[in-house]
Amino acid sequence: MSSQYDAAKNHFDSVSKKWNKLYSDDSVLLRTYNKTFRKGIYDRFDFTFEKCINLENSNILDIGSGTGAYCIEFANRGARKVVGIDIAPSMVEYSK
């Protein structure tokens, strides 16, 4: 594998516990901070699901699934089967 691959894997392995907080609604302060300073993340999430109108009985493959925020939303919207894969084993482990 390339050094870029290893660098990406190591980076995302090291931040898996923090990564999910980007989508967290655990506190008003954290939610306000994230929606203000990380607006693009929320815009992309909303855009994705605006375009995925009917997910009933769909099979979804989420490549680069991170901690599984999109996978969970796909499932909540009726996808029959959702599979997430990620370069970082700790991200996949966290999503379980």
Side-chain angles (χ1 to χ4, degrees), residues 3-94:
S3 62
Q4 289 176 329
Y5 171 89
D6 290 334
K9 179 184 168 295
N10 292 338
H11 169 73
F12 287 107
D13 254 347
S14 72
V15 298
S16 62
K17 290 180 183 173
K18 297 176 188 174
W19 194 260
N20 203 50
K21 290 185 187 274
L22 295 174
Y23 299 97
S24 175
D25 283 338
D26 288 348
S27 73
V28 173
L29 181 61
L30 184 59
R31 182 175 48 250
T32 302
Y33 177 85
N34 282 337
K35 288 192 175 187
T36 302
F37 295 105
R38 297 179 172 131
K39 185 177 182 313
I41 291 170
Y42 287 90
D43 290 347
R44 184 182 70 212
F45 187 88
D46 293 341
F47 177 80
T48 298
F49 291 101
E50 285 171 11
K51 299 300 179 186
C52 296
I53 297 168
N54 184 7
L55 294 171
E56 287 294 318
N57 298 314
S58 297
N59 295 316
I60 304 293
L61 174 60
D62 183 359
I63 300 172
S65 60
T67 57
Y70 282 69
C71 292
I72 292 166
E73 189 64 23
F74 282 124
N76 287 341
R77 291 178 182 238
R80 177 178 49 187
K81 183 174 183 180
V82 181
V83 175
I85 60 173
D86 199 273
I87 191 173
S90 64
M91 290 283 196
V92 174
E93 199 56 39
Y94 188 92

